[in-house]
Amino acid sequence: MTPRIANTPATLIIVIAVQSLCAAFYLADLLFDGVMEGWAQVIQGDFFFEAAATLALIAAVVVETRFLMDLLRRKAYLERQVSIAAGAFHDIILDHFSLWGLTPAEQDVAQFTIKGMSITEIAALRGSAEGTVKSHLNAIYRKADVSGRGGLLSLLIEDLMGRPLLAQAPAEQT
Amino acid sequence: MRHHRIWDPFLRVFHWALVAGFVCTALLTAPEGRLHQDLGYVVAALIALRLAWGVFGPRSAKFSVFVPDFAAVMAHLSDIATRRKRVYLGHSPLGALMILNLLASIALIALSGFLMTTSAYAGAKWVESLHETLVVWATGSIAVHVGAVLWESLRTGVNLSRAMITGVKDIPRDANIVP
Ligand code: HEM
């Protein structure tokens, strides 16, 4: 399981690099044609097809980059825990984070808080001021609609305990 | 703020001379002219000096110190993804990759340009188009380089461009430093 997590970002990085190169090539080609032959010559027929293809390529690069960033964040948290339980709990945590609309920085701070770290420790780990961590925490609690770390934890644990029970209940009845 | 003197005078003069040299040669001189060729030799000499400096120069200039391995690149990307602030005293891993790309492509531009002046390759179409393609590639790379410098300065709170002028990196107290 460990090597798969380690290798996926590398593959993704290569794909992103290759597609960026292609996109840059098409863009440069379009620009050169436009400047050399005049835009009136270029903007017709195939142009719209090529422009659409180039735009699609750029969009793919953007989506893949966001995916890469998600992957890297996940990897950053799971580096030392590769057990299935840690992965499952992490998935629940991530579901909530995206539901609450936490920013990447807030997600990072929330992870550390859940692990029980103090504000000072988090600030040192992230290389930021304690005041910054405090304002991240305030935003996290506001978005999660809880009053503090205890509330945040019980929300997540409730969900962790609830999920497998719900899935088993129908099976036991038959 | 903590102050770290990091870039030696040669490195800084090299950088801004290379900027001036590339801009003048690629954008401001006529490709057929004598001046274009002479400036090309100057740029080639600059790169050659930098390569020697990268072997014999001080620690922060040494290739053996700043050329990153895969793990270092991933660590840098991971910092970006989690918005953590770790400041590299020398070149960052992604920055180092761009530097290698810039040095290599500018060296190849100079080489292909020189080949065009030799009788053996004077008429060779492929040398000419290689030369031109590399200039476009280098120009695009420089745009990314400058954009990345500005972006990393904002992200980490360290004014990288000023450090390339004064030689001193001013690093915020809270940021973690990678020596
Ligand atoms: C023709 C344009 C340029 C070229 C060819 C170029 C090339 C390079 C090279 C080769 C290096 C590596 C320095 C070394 O270790 O020897 C470098 C570093 C650097 N360049 Fe440029 N550069 C260009 C333009 C610029 C501009 C306009 C800026 C300012 C906004 C800039 C800011 C920097 C900075 C801050 C570094 C150090 C990055 C770090 O802290 O690791 N460059 N550049």
Side-chain angles (χ1 to χ4, degrees), chain B residues 7 11 14-16 18-19 22-23 50 66 90-92 99 102-103 106 142 145-146 149-150 160-161 164 169:
Chain B
W7 306 128
L11 198 99
F14 158 77
H15 182 266
W16 298 112
L18 185 66
V19 173
F22 183 87
V23 171
R50 178 63 182 92
F66 76 76
H91 294 307
S92 66
I99 287 164
L102 286 171
L103 291 176
I106 293 176
I142 289 166
H145 167 61
V146 174
V149 163
L150 298 180
L160 295 176
S161 318
M164 212 11 113
K169 274 192 185 174

Side-chain angles (χ1 to χ4, degrees), chain A residues 91-169:
Chain A
D91 286 339
I92 292 178
I93 293 178
L94 280 190
D95 281 352
H96 281 86
F97 286 178
S98 65
L99 203 69
W100 299 331
L102 299 191
T103 65
E106 288 163 4
Q107 290 185 29
D108 200 40
V109 171
Q111 289 278 354
F112 286 137
T113 310
I114 291 167
K115 286 188 178 161
M117 289 179 180
S118 70
I119 291 178
T120 317
E121 286 170 327
I122 299 175
L125 264 166
R126 287 183 38 81
S128 61
E130 290 189 16
T132 316
V133 175
K134 275 182 201 152
S135 65
H136 284 320
L137 277 176
N138 285 336
I140 293 163
Y141 297 148
R142 181 171 44 74
K143 288 178 181 175
D145 198 19
V146 294
S147 57
R149 191 200 309 228
L152 191 69
L153 272 175
S154 57
L155 248 180
L156 295 169
I157 289 173
E158 217 168 275
D159 204 21
L160 182 67
M161 302 200 332
R163 276 194 195 188
L165 285 182
L166 284 178
Q168 272 169 18

Side-chain angles (χ1 to χ4, degrees), chain B residues 5-63:
Chain B
R5 180 160 291 283
I6 186 74
W7 306 128
D8 61 86
F10 168 80
L11 198 99
R12 289 177 269 151
V13 171
F14 158 77
H15 182 266
W16 298 112
L18 185 66
V19 173
F22 183 87
V23 171
C24 291
T25 318
L27 308 176
L28 302 180
T29 59
E32 302 79 20
R34 190 61 218 265
L35 185 61
H36 183 85
Q37 288 181 22
D38 289 344
L39 281 172
Y41 287 123
V42 172
V43 170
L46 281 173
I47 302 271
L49 283 175
R50 178 63 182 92
L51 294 184
W53 201 241
V55 178
F56 303 111
R59 196 186 130 79
S60 56
K62 276 205 167 75
F63 292 119

Side-chain angles (χ1 to χ4, degrees), chain B:
Chain B
M1 286 287 175
R2 291 163 290 178
H3 309 283
H4 290 271
R5 180 160 291 283
I6 186 74
W7 306 128
D8 61 86
F10 168 80
L11 198 99
R12 289 177 269 151
V13 171
F14 158 77
H15 182 266
W16 298 112
L18 185 66
V19 173
F22 183 87
V23 171
C24 291
T25 318
L27 308 176
L28 302 180
T29 59
E32 302 79 20
R34 190 61 218 265
L35 185 61
H36 183 85
Q37 288 181 22
D38 289 344
L39 281 172
Y41 287 123
V42 172
V43 170
L46 281 173
I47 302 271
L49 283 175
R50 178 63 182 92
L51 294 184
W53 201 241
V55 178
F56 303 111
R59 196 186 130 79
S60 56
K62 276 205 167 75
F63 292 119
S64 59
V65 171
F66 76 76
V67 173
D69 57 14
F70 181 70
V73 173
M74 292 308 286
H76 190 187
L77 283 174
S78 183
D79 283 347
I80 294 173
T82 52
R83 308 289 195 271
R84 291 179 197 165
K85 261 185 225 171
R86 275 198 305 166
V87 173
Y88 296 85
L89 266 195
H91 294 307
S92 66
L94 290 175
L97 292 184
M98 176 54 90
I99 287 164
L100 296 180
N101 164 40
L102 286 171
L103 291 176
S105 41
I106 293 176
L108 281 177
I109 291 172
L111 178 67
S112 55
F114 167 72
L115 284 183
M116 276 191 268
T117 68
T118 63
S119 49
Y121 291 96
K125 212 64 206 139
W126 69 269
V127 181
E128 191 177 338
S129 49
L130 177 68
H131 190 70
E132 286 165 0
T133 310
L134 282 169
V135 171
V136 175
W137 170 258
T139 310
S141 298
I142 289 166
V144 175
H145 167 61
V146 174
V149 163
L150 298 180
W151 188 72
E152 280 283 282
S153 298
L154 279 179
R155 186 179 78 82
T156 59
V158 180
N159 188 332
L160 295 176
S161 318
R162 195 174 60 205
M164 212 11 113
I165 298 170
T166 62
V168 177
K169 274 192 185 174
D170 298 329
I171 301 175
R173 277 240 156 263
D174 306 302
N176 296 322
I177 292 181
V178 187

